[in-house]
Amino acid sequence: MSYLRELVEHGKRLRFPEGVPAEVEQTIEKELFLIEDLKYPFYFLTIHDIVMFAKRQGILYQGRGSAANSVVCYCLEITSVDPRQISVLFERFISKERNEPPDIDVDFEHERREEVIQYIYQKYGRERAALAATVISYRFKSAVRDVGKALGVSETQLDYFIKNINRRDRSQGWQAQLVELGLKPDSLKGQQFIELVNDITGFPRHLSQHVGGFVIASGPLYELVPVENAAMAERTVIQWDKDDLESLGLLKVDVLALGMLTAIRKCFQLVEKHYGRKLSIADITRLQDDPNVYGMLQRADTVGVFQIESRAQMSMLPRLKPATYYDLVIQIAIVRPGPIQGDMVHPFLKRRNGEEPVSYPSEEVKAVLSRTLGVPIFQEQVIKLAMVAAGFTGGEADKLRRAMAAWKKNGNLAKFRHKLIDGMQQNGYQIGFAERLFDQICGFGEYGFPESHSASFAVLAYCSAWLKYYYPEAFYTSLLNSLPMGFYSASQLIQDAKRHQVDIAPVCVNRSTYHHYLRQSAKGLTLQLGFRQVNGLSEQSIKKLLQHRPPEAFELQRRSSNSDSIDVNWRLWPQPMRSSVFQGIATPHAGQ
């Protein structure tokens, strides 16, 4: 604990160079007291050690989820969300009444996450560290397919069933639809088919590896849980899933992968190389009120921008018109099924545009909802409302959040209705307001979005938007070199790059390398497409080509003014080398 306090003191000087505000200092002390009381300092020190390894290796990372509610995590450089920018709720992260370990999710670059995983194995040994499993259960489609195979139904027939059954059709169940599609309900096979699909839906099908949930123990793991070797070399997997581990109170460290972090790191390297400017995520987030960047976002010019590049987000951007970092936090969270089903989107937009007055039933409610104009959009707001308006304790409010997350599965949310509505009435609130709030909570369902999660994502959304606006050549090159990721294909990204006046050179036998890169040309910086863009050309073939490419071909190509035609470039290769290298790789013909 003393070492944790020492690290937090160092982090405070780093994160708050101008001095720690009094309210933030109080929050830090409150958090440290609870961490010590619940005996969790080792967990924070473990996560800190892992992220410091990533920092030393130049691997970009970002802590997200409920950990962004912790100022201690911010001081330890685990998260990057400044607590002054959002309304932190530590009870969302750790609660004494909840009596369960904290859960810190950290995203690392998707191309370098394996380095972090191997560091954990090397530090703690495979006896003491292993990845959790995920139990894959039968869903409707897999149940239909496996039962059909067992009963001898043809693949063609099963494909026909799966494609044509509409699970959203509430007027007709899938059983009746199967009959309409040709299944004979009176036959023994038809009866068995329907009965067995019903029986195995939800039943475990096979064991898979968790995306990144690590368990690290003080002694051999096999004394606690069953373990096995993973299919990938140098990995060990626990045979239980994360829910089993949570039930036993075993601490889990989530080492996750995020493609945008890879793209941002590559972009930083290109900016430093070609523009001589060294950047970091922290540098860019300090420039959070750039009107040029927000102008681009308001025009929905967000192809390739993290989290706000989908069609749904693009249609919301011109309506919400984000102009600050917190607007971006709301933008990311509001285009979700929860706020939409809870009827929160239209009231918020009307209030934001001045078409509807903003009112609050009390000052306590105003303190919780003022940042979102009186409309609850985040999970944390629901928890705080339950605490300030209905008298819930922090632990009870978190139980409400958990019930929200699973209410469609078990219906546990209904038992909170009376406590919430009665508590609010006792505190002087109108029954109409209380019932409307409960309806909104039900609308959230399992899709309510945490403010801390959205705040973490907003940092990367702004960072990627800033890079797109100021360094488009480096931005698109980095995205193309980080695929597959995001919503868009390489073709769509290249088309968008051209719309932003990025000069793009096609794949060239003399100039291209495996990856895309930037080079100087008569037009300035040009994005040279790499061989990885050629469909069907394997990495092994590309290496062979590059090993045999004569240096003079690249040099002549570099000097050539008319250099984008492969027909011209081809003749720079000596004839014997031309035939030996390209045999089996490509067959050139006239005009290519």
Side-chain angles (χ1 to χ4, degrees), residues 132-163:
T134 300
V135 178
I136 306 298
S137 299
Y138 276 104
R139 294 191 177 186
F140 176 72
K141 288 181 181 178
S142 57
V144 166
R145 195 170 292 282
D146 279 13
V147 167
K149 282 180 185 175
L151 294 177
V153 181
S154 70
E155 286 279 349
T156 310
Q157 185 75 19
L158 292 173
D159 286 338
Y160 179 69
F161 286 162
I162 289 167
K163 281 180 185 174

PDB file of all heavy atoms in Angstrom, residues 132-163:
ATOM      1  N   ALA A 132      -8.409 -16.897 -19.356  1.00  0.00           N
ATOM      2  CA  ALA A 132      -9.717 -17.501 -19.064  1.00  0.00           C
ATOM      3  C   ALA A 132     -10.300 -18.080 -20.352  1.00  0.00           C
ATOM      4  O   ALA A 132      -9.884 -17.730 -21.456  1.00  0.00           O
ATOM      5  CB  ALA A 132     -10.654 -16.453 -18.485  1.00  0.00           C
ATOM      6  N   ALA A 133     -11.266 -18.955 -20.189  1.00  0.00           N
ATOM      7  CA  ALA A 133     -11.944 -19.538 -21.341  1.00  0.00           C
ATOM      8  C   ALA A 133     -13.284 -18.844 -21.555  1.00  0.00           C
ATOM      9  O   ALA A 133     -13.776 -18.116 -20.697  1.00  0.00           O
ATOM     10  CB  ALA A 133     -12.151 -21.031 -21.123  1.00  0.00           C
ATOM     11  N   THR A 134     -13.854 -19.077 -22.699  1.00  0.00           N
ATOM     12  CA  THR A 134     -15.219 -18.648 -22.994  1.00  0.00           C
ATOM     13  C   THR A 134     -16.001 -19.886 -23.407  1.00  0.00           C
ATOM     14  O   THR A 134     -15.574 -20.594 -24.319  1.00  0.00           O
ATOM     15  CB  THR A 134     -15.251 -17.612 -24.137  1.00  0.00           C
ATOM     16  OG1 THR A 134     -14.492 -16.473 -23.741  1.00  0.00           O
ATOM     17  CG2 THR A 134     -16.660 -17.181 -24.451  1.00  0.00           C
ATOM     18  N   VAL A 135     -17.086 -20.149 -22.721  1.00  0.00           N
ATOM     19  CA  VAL A 135     -17.907 -21.297 -23.069  1.00  0.00           C
ATOM     20  C   VAL A 135     -18.879 -20.861 -24.167  1.00  0.00           C
ATOM     21  O   VAL A 135     -19.736 -20.012 -23.947  1.00  0.00           O
ATOM     22  CB  VAL A 135     -18.678 -21.835 -21.843  1.00  0.00           C
ATOM     23  CG1 VAL A 135     -19.565 -23.004 -22.254  1.00  0.00           C
ATOM     24  CG2 VAL A 135     -17.705 -22.270 -20.758  1.00  0.00           C
ATOM     25  N   ILE A 136     -18.712 -21.422 -25.352  1.00  0.00           N
ATOM     26  CA  ILE A 136     -19.586 -21.098 -26.480  1.00  0.00           C
ATOM     27  C   ILE A 136     -20.820 -21.989 -26.400  1.00  0.00           C
ATOM     28  O   ILE A 136     -20.712 -23.222 -26.397  1.00  0.00           O
ATOM     29  CB  ILE A 136     -18.872 -21.325 -27.833  1.00  0.00           C
ATOM     30  CG1 ILE A 136     -17.545 -20.551 -27.872  1.00  0.00           C
ATOM     31  CG2 ILE A 136     -19.785 -20.940 -28.994  1.00  0.00           C
ATOM     32  CD1 ILE A 136     -17.672 -19.060 -27.766  1.00  0.00           C
ATOM     33  N   SER A 137     -21.982 -21.359 -26.290  1.00  0.00           N
ATOM     34  CA  SER A 137     -23.233 -22.115 -26.164  1.00  0.00           C
ATOM     35  C   SER A 137     -23.991 -22.113 -27.494  1.00  0.00           C
ATOM     36  O   SER A 137     -23.766 -21.263 -28.354  1.00  0.00           O
ATOM     37  CB  SER A 137     -24.120 -21.491 -25.080  1.00  0.00           C
ATOM     38  OG  SER A 137     -23.466 -21.534 -23.835  1.00  0.00           O
ATOM     39  N   TYR A 138     -24.871 -23.091 -27.620  1.00  0.00           N
ATOM     40  CA  TYR A 138     -25.692 -23.180 -28.831  1.00  0.00           C
ATOM     41  C   TYR A 138     -26.639 -21.988 -28.921  1.00  0.00           C
ATOM     42  O   TYR A 138     -27.367 -21.699 -27.980  1.00  0.00           O
ATOM     43  CB  TYR A 138     -26.512 -24.461 -28.829  1.00  0.00           C
ATOM     44  CG  TYR A 138     -25.763 -25.660 -29.351  1.00  0.00           C
ATOM     45  CD1 TYR A 138     -25.272 -26.626 -28.485  1.00  0.00           C
ATOM     46  CD2 TYR A 138     -25.555 -25.822 -30.723  1.00  0.00           C
ATOM     47  CE1 TYR A 138     -24.584 -27.731 -28.965  1.00  0.00           C
ATOM     48  CE2 TYR A 138     -24.874 -26.926 -31.206  1.00  0.00           C
ATOM     49  CZ  TYR A 138     -24.382 -27.884 -30.328  1.00  0.00           C
ATOM     50  OH  TYR A 138     -23.703 -28.960 -30.815  1.00  0.00           O
ATOM     51  N   ARG A 139     -26.616 -21.333 -30.075  1.00  0.00           N
ATOM     52  CA  ARG A 139     -27.650 -20.367 -30.417  1.00  0.00           C
ATOM     53  C   ARG A 139     -28.541 -21.009 -31.474  1.00  0.00           C
ATOM     54  O   ARG A 139     -28.273 -22.130 -31.902  1.00  0.00           O
ATOM     55  CB  ARG A 139     -27.019 -19.070 -30.925  1.00  0.00           C
ATOM     56  CG  ARG A 139     -26.231 -18.371 -29.826  1.00  0.00           C
ATOM     57  CD  ARG A 139     -25.843 -16.979 -30.225  1.00  0.00           C
ATOM     58  NE  ARG A 139     -25.161 -16.303 -29.144  1.00  0.00           N
ATOM     59  CZ  ARG A 139     -24.802 -15.033 -29.181  1.00  0.00           C
ATOM     60  NH1 ARG A 139     -25.068 -14.304 -30.245  1.00  0.00           N
ATOM     61  NH2 ARG A 139     -24.179 -14.476 -28.153  1.00  0.00           N
ATOM     62  N   PHE A 140     -29.546 -20.294 -31.879  1.00  0.00           N
ATOM     63  CA  PHE A 140     -30.542 -20.900 -32.757  1.00  0.00           C
ATOM     64  C   PHE A 140     -29.921 -21.504 -34.027  1.00  0.00           C
ATOM     65  O   PHE A 140     -30.156 -22.664 -34.367  1.00  0.00           O
ATOM     66  CB  PHE A 140     -31.617 -19.882 -33.132  1.00  0.00           C
ATOM     67  CG  PHE A 140     -32.630 -20.413 -34.108  1.00  0.00           C
ATOM     68  CD1 PHE A 140     -33.578 -21.342 -33.713  1.00  0.00           C
ATOM     69  CD2 PHE A 140     -32.606 -20.017 -35.435  1.00  0.00           C
ATOM     70  CE1 PHE A 140     -34.494 -21.859 -34.613  1.00  0.00           C
ATOM     71  CE2 PHE A 140     -33.520 -20.517 -36.349  1.00  0.00           C
ATOM     72  CZ  PHE A 140     -34.461 -21.444 -35.931  1.00  0.00           C
ATOM     73  N   LYS A 141     -29.099 -20.717 -34.729  1.00  0.00           N
ATOM     74  CA  LYS A 141     -28.557 -21.191 -36.012  1.00  0.00           C
ATOM     75  C   LYS A 141     -27.655 -22.409 -35.834  1.00  0.00           C
ATOM     76  O   LYS A 141     -27.759 -23.388 -36.582  1.00  0.00           O
ATOM     77  CB  LYS A 141     -27.784 -20.059 -36.708  1.00  0.00           C
ATOM     78  CG  LYS A 141     -28.687 -18.972 -37.270  1.00  0.00           C
ATOM     79  CD  LYS A 141     -27.873 -17.900 -37.974  1.00  0.00           C
ATOM     80  CE  LYS A 141     -28.782 -16.794 -38.512  1.00  0.00           C
ATOM     81  NZ  LYS A 141     -28.018 -15.723 -39.167  1.00  0.00           N
ATOM     82  N   SER A 142     -26.751 -22.342 -34.841  1.00  0.00           N
ATOM     83  CA  SER A 142     -25.848 -23.483 -34.639  1.00  0.00           C
ATOM     84  C   SER A 142     -26.621 -24.706 -34.155  1.00  0.00           C
ATOM     85  O   SER A 142     -26.274 -25.848 -34.493  1.00  0.00           O
ATOM     86  CB  SER A 142     -24.733 -23.116 -33.645  1.00  0.00           C
ATOM     87  OG  SER A 142     -25.273 -22.682 -32.413  1.00  0.00           O
ATOM     88  N   ALA A 143     -27.697 -24.494 -33.373  1.00  0.00           N
ATOM     89  CA  ALA A 143     -28.521 -25.614 -32.907  1.00  0.00           C
ATOM     90  C   ALA A 143     -29.226 -26.280 -34.095  1.00  0.00           C
ATOM     91  O   ALA A 143     -29.231 -27.522 -34.218  1.00  0.00           O
ATOM     92  CB  ALA A 143     -29.543 -25.134 -31.879  1.00  0.00           C
ATOM     93  N   VAL A 144     -29.800 -25.470 -34.983  1.00  0.00           N
ATOM     94  CA  VAL A 144     -30.470 -26.014 -36.169  1.00  0.00           C
ATOM     95  C   VAL A 144     -29.485 -26.806 -37.027  1.00  0.00           C
ATOM     96  O   VAL A 144     -29.770 -27.917 -37.476  1.00  0.00           O
ATOM     97  CB  VAL A 144     -31.115 -24.864 -37.003  1.00  0.00           C
ATOM     98  CG1 VAL A 144     -31.517 -25.345 -38.395  1.00  0.00           C
ATOM     99  CG2 VAL A 144     -32.327 -24.308 -36.279  1.00  0.00           C
ATOM    100  N   ARG A 145     -28.294 -26.242 -37.208  1.00  0.00           N
ATOM    101  CA  ARG A 145     -27.315 -26.903 -38.080  1.00  0.00           C
ATOM    102  C   ARG A 145     -26.837 -28.229 -37.498  1.00  0.00           C
ATOM    103  O   ARG A 145     -26.784 -29.245 -38.184  1.00  0.00           O
ATOM    104  CB  ARG A 145     -26.128 -25.962 -38.330  1.00  0.00           C
ATOM    105  CG  ARG A 145     -25.250 -26.403 -39.492  1.00  0.00           C
ATOM    106  CD  ARG A 145     -24.250 -25.332 -39.861  1.00  0.00           C
ATOM    107  NE  ARG A 145     -24.862 -24.154 -40.433  1.00  0.00           N
ATOM    108  CZ  ARG A 145     -25.290 -24.077 -41.690  1.00  0.00           C
ATOM    109  NH1 ARG A 145     -25.210 -25.130 -42.490  1.00  0.00           N
ATOM    110  NH2 ARG A 145     -25.824 -22.966 -42.140  1.00  0.00           N
ATOM    111  N   ASP A 146     -26.476 -28.238 -36.209  1.00  0.00           N
ATOM    112  CA  ASP A 146     -25.942 -29.470 -35.617  1.00  0.00           C
ATOM    113  C   ASP A 146     -27.003 -30.552 -35.450  1.00  0.00           C
ATOM    114  O   ASP A 146     -26.741 -31.734 -35.669  1.00  0.00           O
ATOM    115  CB  ASP A 146     -25.274 -29.157 -34.270  1.00  0.00           C
ATOM    116  CG  ASP A 146     -23.860 -28.608 -34.454  1.00  0.00           C
ATOM    117  OD1 ASP A 146     -23.524 -28.244 -35.593  1.00  0.00           O
ATOM    118  OD2 ASP A 146     -23.106 -28.535 -33.461  1.00  0.00           O
ATOM    119  N   VAL A 147     -28.214 -30.158 -35.057  1.00  0.00           N
ATOM    120  CA  VAL A 147     -29.304 -31.136 -34.929  1.00  0.00           C
ATOM    121  C   VAL A 147     -29.650 -31.704 -36.310  1.00  0.00           C
ATOM    122  O   VAL A 147     -29.839 -32.914 -36.480  1.00  0.00           O
ATOM    123  CB  VAL A 147     -30.556 -30.497 -34.271  1.00  0.00           C
ATOM    124  CG1 VAL A 147     -31.777 -31.395 -34.431  1.00  0.00           C
ATOM    125  CG2 VAL A 147     -30.295 -30.241 -32.796  1.00  0.00           C
ATOM    126  N   GLY A 148     -29.694 -30.804 -37.303  1.00  0.00           N
ATOM    127  CA  GLY A 148     -29.994 -31.251 -38.660  1.00  0.00           C
ATOM    128  C   GLY A 148     -28.977 -32.253 -39.171  1.00  0.00           C
ATOM    129  O   GLY A 148     -29.335 -33.273 -39.784  1.00  0.00           O
ATOM    130  N   LYS A 149     -27.694 -31.982 -38.908  1.00  0.00           N
ATOM    131  CA  LYS A 149     -26.642 -32.920 -39.337  1.00  0.00           C
ATOM    132  C   LYS A 149     -26.827 -34.276 -38.668  1.00  0.00           C
ATOM    133  O   LYS A 149     -26.697 -35.329 -39.300  1.00  0.00           O
ATOM    134  CB  LYS A 149     -25.264 -32.351 -38.980  1.00  0.00           C
ATOM    135  CG  LYS A 149     -24.775 -31.269 -39.917  1.00  0.00           C
ATOM    136  CD  LYS A 149     -23.398 -30.800 -39.461  1.00  0.00           C
ATOM    137  CE  LYS A 149     -22.918 -29.628 -40.309  1.00  0.00           C
ATOM    138  NZ  LYS A 149     -21.637 -29.091 -39.802  1.00  0.00           N
ATOM    139  N   ALA A 150     -27.109 -34.244 -37.356  1.00  0.00           N
ATOM    140  CA  ALA A 150     -27.281 -35.495 -36.604  1.00  0.00           C
ATOM    141  C   ALA A 150     -28.472 -36.304 -37.119  1.00  0.00           C
ATOM    142  O   ALA A 150     -28.452 -37.544 -37.085  1.00  0.00           O
ATOM    143  CB  ALA A 150     -27.455 -35.185 -35.117  1.00  0.00           C
ATOM    144  N   LEU A 151     -29.478 -35.615 -37.611  1.00  0.00           N
ATOM    145  CA  LEU A 151     -30.685 -36.314 -38.092  1.00  0.00           C
ATOM    146  C   LEU A 151     -30.637 -36.597 -39.597  1.00  0.00           C
ATOM    147  O   LEU A 151     -31.614 -37.090 -40.168  1.00  0.00           O
ATOM    148  CB  LEU A 151     -31.938 -35.478 -37.772  1.00  0.00           C
ATOM    149  CG  LEU A 151     -32.264 -35.304 -36.279  1.00  0.00           C
ATOM    150  CD1 LEU A 151     -33.470 -34.395 -36.105  1.00  0.00           C
ATOM    151  CD2 LEU A 151     -32.531 -36.656 -35.626  1.00  0.00           C
ATOM    152  N   GLY A 152     -29.506 -36.249 -40.245  1.00  0.00           N
ATOM    153  CA  GLY A 152     -29.347 -36.577 -41.659  1.00  0.00           C
ATOM    154  C   GLY A 152     -30.016 -35.618 -42.612  1.00  0.00           C
ATOM    155  O   GLY A 152     -30.249 -35.961 -43.777  1.00  0.00           O
ATOM    156  N   VAL A 153     -30.347 -34.404 -42.156  1.00  0.00           N
ATOM    157  CA  VAL A 153     -30.923 -33.396 -43.051  1.00  0.00           C
ATOM    158  C   VAL A 153     -29.794 -32.821 -43.910  1.00  0.00           C
ATOM    159  O   VAL A 153     -28.693 -32.567 -43.424  1.00  0.00           O
ATOM    160  CB  VAL A 153     -31.618 -32.267 -42.252  1.00  0.00           C
ATOM    161  CG1 VAL A 153     -32.236 -31.235 -43.187  1.00  0.00           C
ATOM    162  CG2 VAL A 153     -32.670 -32.847 -41.319  1.00  0.00           C
ATOM    163  N   SER A 154     -30.054 -32.614 -45.195  1.00  0.00           N
ATOM    164  CA  SER A 154     -29.002 -32.154 -46.108  1.00  0.00           C
ATOM    165  C   SER A 154     -28.561 -30.724 -45.777  1.00  0.00           C
ATOM    166  O   SER A 154     -29.346 -29.929 -45.250  1.00  0.00           O
ATOM    167  CB  SER A 154     -29.494 -32.209 -47.555  1.00  0.00           C
ATOM    168  OG  SER A 154     -30.486 -31.217 -47.771  1.00  0.00           O
ATOM    169  N   GLU A 155     -27.302 -30.400 -46.111  1.00  0.00           N
ATOM    170  CA  GLU A 155     -26.743 -29.061 -45.882  1.00  0.00           C
ATOM    171  C   GLU A 155     -27.566 -28.001 -46.621  1.00  0.00           C
ATOM    172  O   GLU A 155     -27.811 -26.916 -46.098  1.00  0.00           O
ATOM    173  CB  GLU A 155     -25.290 -29.011 -46.372  1.00  0.00           C
ATOM    174  CG  GLU A 155     -24.294 -29.725 -45.474  1.00  0.00           C
ATOM    175  CD  GLU A 155     -23.877 -28.873 -44.287  1.00  0.00           C
ATOM    176  OE1 GLU A 155     -24.194 -27.672 -44.267  1.00  0.00           O
ATOM    177  OE2 GLU A 155     -23.259 -29.419 -43.361  1.00  0.00           O
ATOM    178  N   THR A 156     -27.991 -28.333 -47.851  1.00  0.00           N
ATOM    179  CA  THR A 156     -28.768 -27.381 -48.646  1.00  0.00           C
ATOM    180  C   THR A 156     -30.076 -27.024 -47.943  1.00  0.00           C
ATOM    181  O   THR A 156     -30.473 -25.849 -47.881  1.00  0.00           O
ATOM    182  CB  THR A 156     -29.075 -27.977 -50.034  1.00  0.00           C
ATOM    183  OG1 THR A 156     -27.863 -28.472 -50.596  1.00  0.00           O
ATOM    184  CG2 THR A 156     -29.687 -26.946 -50.954  1.00  0.00           C
ATOM    185  N   GLN A 157     -30.732 -28.047 -47.394  1.00  0.00           N
ATOM    186  CA  GLN A 157     -32.008 -27.835 -46.696  1.00  0.00           C
ATOM    187  C   GLN A 157     -31.795 -26.995 -45.436  1.00  0.00           C
ATOM    188  O   GLN A 157     -32.574 -26.079 -45.138  1.00  0.00           O
ATOM    189  CB  GLN A 157     -32.614 -29.194 -46.321  1.00  0.00           C
ATOM    190  CG  GLN A 157     -33.999 -29.125 -45.686  1.00  0.00           C
ATOM    191  CD  GLN A 157     -35.091 -28.819 -46.702  1.00  0.00           C
ATOM    192  OE1 GLN A 157     -34.879 -29.003 -47.890  1.00  0.00           O
ATOM    193  NE2 GLN A 157     -36.228 -28.342 -46.240  1.00  0.00           N
ATOM    194  N   LEU A 158     -30.720 -27.282 -44.688  1.00  0.00           N
ATOM    195  CA  LEU A 158     -30.427 -26.533 -43.462  1.00  0.00           C
ATOM    196  C   LEU A 158     -30.135 -25.067 -43.789  1.00  0.00           C
ATOM    197  O   LEU A 158     -30.573 -24.168 -43.070  1.00  0.00           O
ATOM    198  CB  LEU A 158     -29.252 -27.169 -42.715  1.00  0.00           C
ATOM    199  CG  LEU A 158     -29.512 -28.545 -42.099  1.00  0.00           C
ATOM    200  CD1 LEU A 158     -28.220 -29.136 -41.549  1.00  0.00           C
ATOM    201  CD2 LEU A 158     -30.558 -28.462 -40.993  1.00  0.00           C
ATOM    202  N   ASP A 159     -29.348 -24.832 -44.846  1.00  0.00           N
ATOM    203  CA  ASP A 159     -29.065 -23.454 -45.267  1.00  0.00           C
ATOM    204  C   ASP A 159     -30.354 -22.716 -45.615  1.00  0.00           C
ATOM    205  O   ASP A 159     -30.529 -21.545 -45.277  1.00  0.00           O
ATOM    206  CB  ASP A 159     -28.131 -23.444 -46.486  1.00  0.00           C
ATOM    207  CG  ASP A 159     -26.694 -23.793 -46.111  1.00  0.00           C
ATOM    208  OD1 ASP A 159     -26.340 -23.626 -44.931  1.00  0.00           O
ATOM    209  OD2 ASP A 159     -25.946 -24.242 -46.994  1.00  0.00           O
ATOM    210  N   TYR A 160     -31.258 -23.410 -46.277  1.00  0.00           N
ATOM    211  CA  TYR A 160     -32.545 -22.823 -46.665  1.00  0.00           C
ATOM    212  C   TYR A 160     -33.363 -22.444 -45.426  1.00  0.00           C
ATOM    213  O   TYR A 160     -33.933 -21.353 -45.348  1.00  0.00           O
ATOM    214  CB  TYR A 160     -33.312 -23.827 -47.533  1.00  0.00           C
ATOM    215  CG  TYR A 160     -34.678 -23.351 -47.970  1.00  0.00           C
ATOM    216  CD1 TYR A 160     -34.819 -22.310 -48.895  1.00  0.00           C
ATOM    217  CD2 TYR A 160     -35.836 -23.940 -47.453  1.00  0.00           C
ATOM    218  CE1 TYR A 160     -36.079 -21.874 -49.296  1.00  0.00           C
ATOM    219  CE2 TYR A 160     -37.095 -23.512 -47.848  1.00  0.00           C
ATOM    220  CZ  TYR A 160     -37.207 -22.473 -48.766  1.00  0.00           C
ATOM    221  OH  TYR A 160     -38.451 -22.030 -49.150  1.00  0.00           O
ATOM    222  N   PHE A 161     -33.377 -23.341 -44.428  1.00  0.00           N
ATOM    223  CA  PHE A 161     -34.089 -23.054 -43.170  1.00  0.00           C
ATOM    224  C   PHE A 161     -33.506 -21.809 -42.495  1.00  0.00           C
ATOM    225  O   PHE A 161     -34.231 -20.878 -42.125  1.00  0.00           O
ATOM    226  CB  PHE A 161     -33.973 -24.237 -42.205  1.00  0.00           C
ATOM    227  CG  PHE A 161     -34.832 -25.435 -42.564  1.00  0.00           C
ATOM    228  CD1 PHE A 161     -34.555 -26.686 -42.016  1.00  0.00           C
ATOM    229  CD2 PHE A 161     -35.913 -25.315 -43.420  1.00  0.00           C
ATOM    230  CE1 PHE A 161     -35.331 -27.789 -42.331  1.00  0.00           C
ATOM    231  CE2 PHE A 161     -36.701 -26.411 -43.740  1.00  0.00           C
ATOM    232  CZ  PHE A 161     -36.411 -27.648 -43.203  1.00  0.00           C
ATOM    233  N   ILE A 162     -32.190 -21.815 -42.323  1.00  0.00           N
ATOM    234  CA  ILE A 162     -31.517 -20.745 -41.563  1.00  0.00           C
ATOM    235  C   ILE A 162     -31.698 -19.385 -42.238  1.00  0.00           C
ATOM    236  O   ILE A 162     -31.930 -18.370 -41.586  1.00  0.00           O
ATOM    237  CB  ILE A 162     -30.018 -21.086 -41.373  1.00  0.00           C
ATOM    238  CG1 ILE A 162     -29.876 -22.251 -40.379  1.00  0.00           C
ATOM    239  CG2 ILE A 162     -29.232 -19.886 -40.879  1.00  0.00           C
ATOM    240  CD1 ILE A 162     -28.502 -22.882 -40.344  1.00  0.00           C
ATOM    241  N   LYS A 163     -31.603 -19.358 -43.574  1.00  0.00           N
ATOM    242  CA  LYS A 163     -31.721 -18.081 -44.302  1.00  0.00           C
ATOM    243  C   LYS A 163     -33.137 -17.510 -44.269  1.00  0.00           C
ATOM    244  O   LYS A 163     -33.330 -16.305 -44.317  1.00  0.00           O
ATOM    245  CB  LYS A 163     -31.289 -18.278 -45.759  1.00  0.00           C
ATOM    246  CG  LYS A 163     -29.786 -18.310 -45.955  1.00  0.00           C
ATOM    247  CD  LYS A 163     -29.456 -18.506 -47.424  1.00  0.00           C
ATOM    248  CE  LYS A 163     -27.950 -18.670 -47.612  1.00  0.00           C
ATOM    249  NZ  LYS A 163     -27.612 -19.012 -49.010  1.00  0.00           N
TER     250      LYS A 163
END
